[in-house]
Amino acid sequence: MVQYNFKKITVVPPGKDFIDIILSRTQRQTPTVVHKGYAISRIRQFYMRKVRYSQQNFYEKLSTIIDEFPRLDDVHPFYGDLLHVLYNKDHYKLALGQINTARNIIAKISKDYLRLLKYGDSLYRCKCLKVAALGRMCTVIKRISPSLAYLEQIRQHMARLPSIDPNTRTLLICGYPNVGKSSFMNKITRADVDVQPYAFTTKSLFVGHADYKYLRYQVIDTPGILDRPFEDRNIIEMCSITALAHLRAAVLFFLDISGSCGYSIAQQAALFHSIKSLFMNKPLVIVCNKTDLQPLEKLSEEDMKLVMEMKAEAMKTIAQGGEPNEEGVLLTMSTLTEDGVMAVKNAACERLLDQRVEVKMKSKKINDCLNRFHVALPKPRDSKERPPCIPQAVLEARADAAAAKEKKKLERKLEKDLENENGGAGVYSASLKKHYMLANDEWKEDILPEILDGHNVADFLDPDILQRCEELEREEGLRLEEEVAQEAFQIDGHELTEEQREILGQIRKKKALIIQEHRMKKRTAESRPIVPRKFDKDRKFTTDRMGRQLSSMGFDPIAAVDRARSRGRKRERSLSRAGNDGDDMDIDGQQPNKKLRAMSRPSSRSKSRPPEEVVPGEGFRDSDQKKKAIKKAKDSVKKRNKEARRGEADRVIPTLKPKHLFSGKRSIGKTSRR
């Protein structure tokens, strides 16, 4: 079971957000109204409550941060060293120490100001003390803002760390970069570790799980390690060193005997000897990978000697039962062809299981367990051997089933076999048509034609269809032209004579010419409307030109020219221009201007209707009844208008909070009237 779950650590807010959270909560959870008329003890309690509540909230939030982050001295040494490698243990402890110091300072500030508030002599003095207390608390939080931001970054990174149980059964994979560690892990677990043909593809610890003998094993893929001094190793390599040093696991040291990883066997052997101290008291398996490129038997004598030296060292790491056991120490496999992959996994799990059982047998707890068990050992009653008896029918049935299985395998290849023969996954594409039941098997892979109305288009396809379609269209066009030519010379279904046809042709020709001439005139400037004077800057469109055009067309231009000139004059407020005849509506110039203005009216205004005139639909019998109604309406509002009171037609701005309902102190009693 996983003991450490870093994903449950609460989010650490930034300093500014931290202050906003506490102050807004204080504002919401404490009283907000105080009056100077209150007793001084009540005013003191009001502000003391605010200071005490803010301090408690600060204390709780900071205590949550301190308690939820793991203490490096209390966690498993694996996690302690891993956190030191990733985040620097000193910086981590300093940040938590600053949070703890800020918590104590805030508690001391609250204690001091609560003591001062007990002796506040006025509302103003108490309020100033409260503001000073909260201000000093917020200043303390602002000073630890960098530590809060640092802890939030650590929390986010720790939430992405894999959940590793240091005490469970574990297989640890290590070796040089690009020797096949991640590929092996992808084969035996459901983990999806990125595999690329370059070094240091894996930059952190990856965890997967595998089963062996109904037991769950934890498989850890570590980043590649280079053979160099301990001080020169980077953070990625130190993650692997930390896992090797602190986890009780079976170690699988991967060896690329083909050299395709970019490192020779001598370099890999040097790495093995430099870190062999980390393998002590752990089951160690040396895995020779990529045997599909270079078999182990074809290695040179020097390389084989190095491999055998590594095997001898691996046997020294742990001796099972007091005697070295060579079985399962040096194994070969290929992750590409999957040869020996499961054998390596089973051997590592078996060696780890034996070692764990042996450790438990040596412990003192086993004595208490053995007292509860009784192992029954049956004794032979005579010297006669009694081998297991299997009926002949069962043996024959098994043989028939095996023969049938072999025969079926030879007759039909599986899709997996076909995939391996044709390039593997991503290259081979299974055919979905090979099981079609057709009259001829050769038709299965044919490209199906398009279907239209239940028929195959290919069955009706003619190679000369385009040429034949053009001929049909040409023939259809000729036939339509003949029909139009015949119908053109028919009137009411009767054929015309030669003379009538000639006259009809001339008429149509003349009509076409007239239409064409009309279209040409529409395009000329002469047929366009007269433009306003502000656009006629060159004085091209004048009344003289209009008169000449009208004269050329056979019209009298005098009236049109006079009307065009009169439209340009300034408008006069006179009744003399309202009539059709200018002579009988002329006004004598000797009349006074006042009478002239009285007789004049705007030409666009209609005649006003007197107020007493009855309009259909108003509901009055005659004009006398309407006069009486108008008089009564005026009399009804005369008194109100004289007193200048507000009426129903006046604009209303209501008083939202009437002063008589919202001012003054409330006494003990009902408040429903307010």
Side-chain angles (χ1 to χ4, degrees):
M1 181 178 178
V2 180
Q3 297 179 350
Y4 310 104
N5 190 359
F6 299 137
K7 295 178 176 62
K8 291 185 178 179
I9 300 177
T10 309
V11 177
V12 181
K16 188 175 182 301
D17 295 346
F18 203 113
I19 295 170
D20 293 342
I21 290 169
I22 301 301
L23 294 185
S24 63
R25 185 181 296 175
T26 303
Q27 185 71 7
R28 285 185 282 108
Q29 301 294 338
T30 56
T32 56
V33 178
V34 65
H35 298 292
K36 61 183 179 180
Y38 288 169
I40 189 63
S41 60
R42 185 175 177 183
I43 294 174
R44 290 170 185 165
Q45 288 297 327
F46 176 85
Y47 287 109
M48 288 170 68
R49 182 176 177 182
K50 284 188 175 293
V51 174
R52 190 181 297 113
Y53 189 82
S54 299
Q55 181 265 333
Q56 289 175 353
N57 280 314
F58 276 121
Y59 193 90
E60 290 174 1
K61 294 283 285 183
L62 295 176
S63 299
T64 303
I65 295 172
I66 295 171
D67 295 339
E68 289 189 348
F69 275 88
R71 289 185 174 86
L72 299 184
D73 298 333
D74 298 341
V75 298
H76 192 276
F78 164 69
Y79 274 113
D81 279 3
L82 184 63
L83 295 180
H84 174 59
V85 167
L86 295 174
Y87 316 122
N88 194 332
K89 181 168 58 177
D90 298 334
H91 293 176
Y92 177 75
K93 287 186 175 181
L94 278 174
L96 287 179
Q98 289 179 356
I99 301 296
N100 188 32
T101 305
R103 181 179 65 174
N104 297 333
I105 291 174
I106 288 175
K108 187 175 182 301
I109 291 171
S110 172
K111 185 177 178 181
D112 295 342
Y113 277 90
L114 287 176
R115 189 181 298 117
L116 293 173
L117 278 167
K118 286 182 181 179
Y119 302 100
D121 55 356
S122 65
L123 185 144
Y124 177 73
R125 184 72 55 84
C126 293
K127 184 176 181 181
C128 290
L129 289 172
K130 186 264 298 184
V131 171
L134 297 185
R136 288 187 62 185
M137 293 180 190
C138 295
T139 303
V140 172
I141 297 298
K142 286 180 181 178
R143 287 179 180 174
I144 63 170
S145 293
S147 298
L148 294 173
Y150 174 70
L151 289 175
E152 172 61 16
Q153 291 180 357
I154 289 180
R155 184 201 67 83
Q156 294 177 0
H157 194 279
M158 289 174 66
R160 294 192 292 268
L161 288 178
S163 298
I164 298 174
D165 186 0
N167 300 317
T168 191
R169 294 168 293 275
T170 306
L171 301 181
L172 195 61
I173 308 171
C174 65
Y176 256 97
N178 206 19
V179 294
K181 302 185 297 296
S182 301
S183 301
F184 175 72
M185 184 171 179
N186 290 341
K187 295 292 183 183
I188 65 171
T189 66
R190 288 186 295 176
D192 186 16
V193 186
D194 189 21
V195 177
Q196 297 294 341
Y198 49 81
F200 288 107
T201 308
T202 305
K203 295 183 175 61
S204 61
L205 300 178
F206 282 85
V207 181
H209 294 86
D211 293 332
Y212 177 71
K213 288 187 177 180
Y214 304 104
L215 294 175
R216 179 60 57 89
Y217 285 79
Q218 182 177 254
V219 185
I220 300 178
D221 179 22
T222 62
I225 309 173
L226 299 179
D227 182 23
R228 52 186 176 180
F230 186 81
E231 297 80 10
D232 296 341
R233 291 196 168 103
N234 55 26
I235 295 177
I236 298 176
E237 295 175 86
M238 289 305 299
C239 290
S240 302
I241 299 297
T242 304
L244 285 170
H246 295 290
L247 292 180
R248 295 171 52 196
V251 180
L252 282 74
F253 186 84
F254 270 62
L255 196 65
D256 185 2
I257 59 176
S258 67
S260 60
C261 65
Y263 305 98
S264 64
I265 296 180
Q267 291 176 308
Q268 299 178 58
L271 172 65
F272 177 84
H273 291 294
S274 66
I275 62 174
K276 66 181 179 182
S277 59
L278 301 174
F279 302 149
M280 296 306 296
N281 298 325
K282 296 187 180 95
L284 177 60
V285 179
I286 299 175
V287 182
C288 297
N289 193 18
K290 303 185 183 179
T291 54
D292 56 320
L293 299 177
Q294 176 69 43
L296 182 63
E297 297 80 13
K298 295 184 179 180
L299 286 178
S300 63
E301 293 182 1
E302 296 178 358
D303 293 342
M304 184 62 74
K305 183 180 178 181
L306 293 173
V307 172
M308 289 303 147
E309 289 177 359
M310 295 166 62
K311 180 180 178 182
E313 292 290 340
M315 292 173 61
K316 293 179 184 178
T317 57
I318 183 169
Q320 301 176 1
E323 294 293 334
N325 187 6
E326 295 185 6
E327 184 180 358
V329 176
L330 180 63
L331 299 174
T332 60
M333 74 166 192
S334 172
T335 53
L336 181 63
T337 60
E338 299 185 10
D339 292 337
V341 171
M342 299 310 296
V344 170
K345 185 196 87 167
N346 295 341
C349 294
E350 191 66 35
R351 285 176 63 85
L352 177 62
L353 199 57
D354 294 343
Q355 190 254 354
R356 289 172 68 91
V357 170
E358 184 181 353
V359 171
K360 288 183 180 179
M361 291 296 291
K362 291 180 180 179
S363 64
K364 296 180 180 180
K365 295 181 181 179
I366 194 64
N367 297 327
D368 298 334
C369 296
L370 288 178
N371 292 334
R372 304 174 193 175
F373 299 144
H374 172 69
V375 181
L377 298 175
K379 295 181 180 180
R381 59 188 178 186
D382 51 24
S383 60
K384 185 179 179 180
E385 293 185 5
R386 292 178 176 85
C389 179
I390 301 175
Q392 187 64 27
V394 175
L395 294 175
E396 293 177 358
R398 287 182 180 178
D400 294 342
K405 188 176 181 180
E406 288 294 331
K407 185 179 179 182
K408 186 177 180 181
K409 190 174 181 181
L410 293 174
E411 290 179 354
R412 176 172 170 267
K413 287 187 177 181
L414 300 178
E415 285 293 333
K416 190 170 184 180
D417 300 333
L418 294 174
E419 179 182 340
N420 294 333
E421 292 176 2
N422 293 282
V427 179
Y428 172 73
S429 178
S431 175
L432 303 178
K433 303 176 183 178
K434 62 182 179 181
H435 296 302
Y436 284 1
M437 293 181 292
L438 302 176
N440 190 351
D441 291 339
E442 296 179 357
W443 299 346
K444 289 182 179 180
E445 300 298 334
D446 289 349
I447 299 175
L448 297 179
E450 295 184 4
I451 306 299
L452 180 63
D453 298 333
H455 300 285
N456 287 344
V457 176
D459 294 343
F460 303 94
L461 187 62
D462 188 353
D464 301 331
I465 189 169
L466 295 177
Q467 182 179 355
R468 297 190 181 187
C469 286
E470 291 178 359
E471 293 178 358
L472 287 174
E473 291 176 359
R474 197 180 306 112
E475 184 179 346
E476 182 71 13
L478 293 174
R479 187 174 62 81
L480 290 175
E481 288 179 2
E482 292 179 359
E483 290 180 359
V484 170
Q486 291 179 2
E487 291 177 357
F489 298 105
Q490 288 185 1
I491 298 177
D492 295 333
H494 300 287
E495 294 239 0
L496 300 177
T497 61
E498 290 293 335
E499 186 179 356
Q500 291 174 340
R501 288 184 181 180
E502 187 177 351
I503 296 172
L504 184 59
Q506 293 177 359
I507 293 173
R508 288 179 175 171
K509 187 176 180 181
K510 183 66 174 176
K511 183 178 179 181
L513 291 174
I514 293 172
I515 292 173
Q516 187 176 3
E517 185 178 355
H518 174 68
R519 289 175 180 171
M520 292 294 292
K521 285 182 178 180
K522 285 178 70 175
R523 298 194 188 105
T524 60
E526 295 179 356
S527 60
R528 293 175 185 171
I530 303 301
V531 295
R533 180 174 295 175
K534 63 180 181 179
F535 299 114
D536 186 21
K537 296 180 180 179
D538 298 335
R539 305 284 298 171
K540 292 181 179 179
F541 305 99
T542 59
T543 53
D544 297 337
R545 178 182 174 184
M546 183 180 70
R548 290 196 301 272
Q549 289 182 352
L550 291 175
S551 300
S552 64
M553 296 171 65
F555 297 102
D556 187 8
I558 297 174
V561 170
D562 292 344
R563 181 172 177 80
R565 287 173 178 168
S566 66
R567 287 176 62 185
R569 293 176 185 170
K570 188 175 180 181
R571 181 176 178 183
E572 298 176 358
R573 295 179 57 86
S574 173
L575 292 175
S576 63
R577 307 194 61 80
N580 294 332
D581 256 345
D583 296 339
D584 34 354
M585 292 298 292
D586 283 344
I587 298 175
D588 197 1
Q590 297 178 358
Q591 289 182 338
N593 291 337
K594 185 176 181 181
K595 186 176 180 181
L596 184 64
R597 284 197 303 271
M599 294 178 63
S600 66
R601 60 180 177 84
S603 60
S604 60
R605 179 179 173 183
S606 60
K607 187 178 181 182
S608 300
R609 183 185 296 113
E612 63 272 7
E613 183 178 344
V614 179
V615 178
E618 286 185 336
F620 296 111
R621 184 174 60 252
D622 51 11
S623 59
D624 295 336
Q625 188 180 19
K626 187 173 181 180
K627 284 181 182 179
K628 291 180 181 180
I630 293 172
K631 188 175 183 302
K632 285 185 176 183
K634 289 181 178 180
D635 293 343
S636 63
V637 298
K638 184 182 296 184
K639 184 179 178 182
R640 188 191 67 199
N641 292 343
K642 186 179 292 186
E643 295 176 358
R645 285 188 296 168
R646 186 174 63 191
E648 61 183 6
D650 294 328
R651 184 182 179 192
V652 180
I653 303 176
T655 304
L656 299 179
K657 295 178 70 173
K659 188 171 183 180
H660 71 284
L661 292 180
F662 291 93
S663 63
K665 294 169 61 176
R666 296 188 182 184
S667 61
I668 300 174
K670 295 182 180 178
T671 57
S672 59
R673 293 189 307 104
R674 289 174 176 252

